[in-house]
Amino acid sequence: MEHAKAQRRKKARKLDAVAIQEATRETLTRVAKRIDDIVYENYHIPALLYQVRIRHTQGHDNVVGGVVEFAESDYVDAKPEHTYDTSVFELKQIDDTQTVKLHKINELMCDILDGMSVRTTRLRSILSESEYSSYETMLEEVRHSEEILYDEMPEFLKIYNKKLNKADLMNGRYEKMAGTNAGTSTSRTKVSQQAETLYEEALEYLEEQYGCVERGDYGADMRARLDAWMDRDVDFDKGYDRTVGIDADAIPRVRGSKSHFAQSSGKPKLSKRLKREESVLMMLLVVACDIAYVLPEIPKQPAQTQEQKDTLRNKMSKLREFIYGERD
């Protein structure tokens, strides 16, 4: 009799564990999607042209009630769609302690997906010391190249932005005067010339900074960072054939600019709050899978042969010559 009761209790615990494992399985797909959403929202560089998202084609047949509607897939930087399949995850046999921990993880993941903030004390109470340490490492590490390029705007670009802002304000004043025919022709011309002078000063400052970058005054990697921060190709080196100029439309602007004259102004958000949410979800997902499931093995890529390595090295050498030219 006692043996039968013990078997029933054991079976009940097993069913509870399986139920929590299956509930967590459903949550994992939502978590994976949320992580992908965060990656797109936080690290993606929007493809903008004059503050408008760029579409594959300008024409569109989907007109509803006189209003043109565009699908996400119409845009060149459309958010990628992914599918998530956890049905191949086989269940592990887990004990009571693991079941309780998995249940807490699942509850926390659901709370995060519902928009709740996560207290550090709650996260610490669920994760082991080593797991929490891994989470802290994950939070600090750089996982996306955008975090390097756009982590901090170079100081000289902040100064350039201030100069450019003064010029834009003066140009805006002129446009307002011209649009309403305010003031005299002489006063409007004076304001226009003041705007042009401010644009010229800003552009001269930027050209000086490009010269400093070329000399290596700001470090070897600054040129790549500088090019990434600008909204267009800055071709000071082309002399009279250069496209940059001292008017509102031709002067280069820094990514993140809200000006309607900015060309490719998209800039990644790089929100610390979103990175924390991403890191927490990734850590919880890893721990949950480690507790509850036998994950399918990913086939290993065959190792490169020496011939393939030599071929790749030769291609890289030719690429360097193409980019940098011959070096002494």
Side-chain angles (χ1 to χ4, degrees):
M1 180 67 71
E2 291 299 324
H3 178 71
K5 288 182 180 179
Q7 288 297 318
R8 283 197 296 271
R9 285 197 299 271
K10 184 176 180 181
K11 185 176 181 180
R13 285 198 299 272
K14 182 178 179 180
L15 289 174
D16 289 342
V18 170
I20 292 170
Q21 285 172 295
E22 291 297 349
T24 305
R25 186 199 297 274
E26 293 181 9
T27 306
L28 292 182
T29 58
R30 296 170 58 207
V31 169
K33 184 180 186 308
R34 176 56 186 156
I35 291 173
D36 284 336
D37 288 346
I38 291 174
V39 169
Y40 184 84
E41 180 183 356
N42 208 31
Y43 308 106
H44 167 70
I45 301 175
L48 304 176
L49 183 61
Y50 302 114
Q51 305 299 337
V52 178
R53 288 184 74 186
I54 302 172
R55 301 192 303 273
H56 289 294
T57 57
Q58 295 302 309
H60 203 282
D61 297 328
N62 189 18
V63 180
V64 180
V67 179
V68 178
E69 292 187 351
F70 297 102
E72 178 66 16
S73 58
D74 291 328
Y75 297 97
V76 298
D77 64 337
K79 181 179 175 182
E81 293 295 330
H82 303 284
T83 57
Y84 312 94
D85 182 17
T86 58
S87 63
V88 294
F89 293 3
E90 296 180 10
L91 301 186
K92 288 181 179 179
Q93 295 289 329
I94 60 177
D95 58 30
D96 289 348
T97 302
Q98 291 173 312
T99 300
V100 170
K101 181 171 181 176
L102 183 64
H103 180 58
K104 289 180 179 179
I105 289 174
N106 190 40
E107 284 187 326
L108 181 52
M109 290 192 298
C110 288
D111 287 344
I112 295 172
L113 293 172
D114 289 338
M116 291 179 59
S117 59
V118 181
R119 291 182 178 274
T120 301
T121 51
R122 184 179 178 188
L123 188 61
R124 278 186 176 276
S125 69
I126 295 174
L127 299 178
S128 68
E129 186 176 335
S130 62
E131 289 165 351
Y132 190 82
S133 177
S134 296
Y135 155 71
E136 289 184 312
T137 301
M138 186 181 295
L139 189 60
E140 295 299 324
E141 70 183 0
V142 174
R143 296 194 297 275
H144 306 274
S145 61
E146 291 79 9
E147 294 179 86
I148 300 174
L149 287 174
Y150 300 102
D151 177 48
E152 181 66 30
M153 182 186 296
E155 286 298 321
F156 63 83
L157 285 185
K158 294 178 182 179
I159 297 173
Y160 173 67
N161 265 345
K162 289 179 181 179
K163 292 178 177 291
L164 191 54
N165 185 53
K166 289 181 180 179
D168 282 338
L169 289 174
M170 189 62 69
N171 185 63
R173 180 182 171 189
Y174 164 71
E175 288 183 340
K176 185 175 182 180
M177 291 176 68
T180 59
N181 204 31
T184 64
S185 175
T186 301
S187 64
R188 291 195 296 272
T189 299
K190 182 179 179 180
V191 173
S192 175
Q193 289 174 342
Q194 287 176 328
E196 183 175 308
T197 299
L198 289 171
Y199 279 128
E200 186 174 11
E201 290 175 357
L203 191 63
E204 286 177 352
Y205 175 80
L206 184 63
E207 187 169 11
E208 290 173 3
Q209 298 310 308
Y210 262 83
C212 293
V213 169
E214 288 296 333
R215 289 196 304 269
D217 295 354
Y218 298 120
D221 65 333
M222 181 54 74
R223 180 55 195 260
R225 290 184 60 203
L226 182 56
D227 289 342
W229 271 101
M230 304 311 294
D231 74 327
R232 69 194 76 191
D233 290 334
V234 180
D235 50 1
F236 287 125
D237 57 335
K238 291 186 178 179
Y240 290 110
D241 294 327
R242 67 189 191 181
T243 58
V244 297
I246 58 173
D247 58 82
D249 188 51
I251 195 165
R253 296 180 183 274
V254 181
R255 282 186 179 273
S257 169
K258 300 301 180 184
S259 170
H260 61 279
F261 293 112
Q263 292 185 9
S264 182
S265 60
K267 176 179 171 291
K269 184 177 289 186
L270 298 185
S271 160
K272 292 183 178 179
R273 178 188 63 80
L274 286 175
K275 182 171 183 177
R276 181 173 185 269
E277 181 183 345
E278 175 196 14
S279 300
V280 170
L281 287 174
M282 287 179 66
M283 195 68 237
L284 293 175
L285 185 148
V286 169
V287 175
C289 288
D290 186 54
I291 292 173
Y293 311 105
V294 179
L295 303 182
E297 291 189 8
I298 300 174
K300 293 183 178 180
Q301 295 293 328
Q304 284 186 325
T305 64
Q306 187 59 47
E307 182 180 354
Q308 289 172 325
K309 291 179 181 179
D310 291 341
T311 300
L312 180 60
R313 191 178 295 111
N314 185 44
K315 288 181 179 179
M316 288 297 295
S317 178
K318 289 182 178 179
L319 182 60
R320 289 192 188 95
E321 289 180 11
F322 175 77
I323 295 175
Y324 300 112
E326 293 184 0
R327 298 292 179 92
D328 293 333

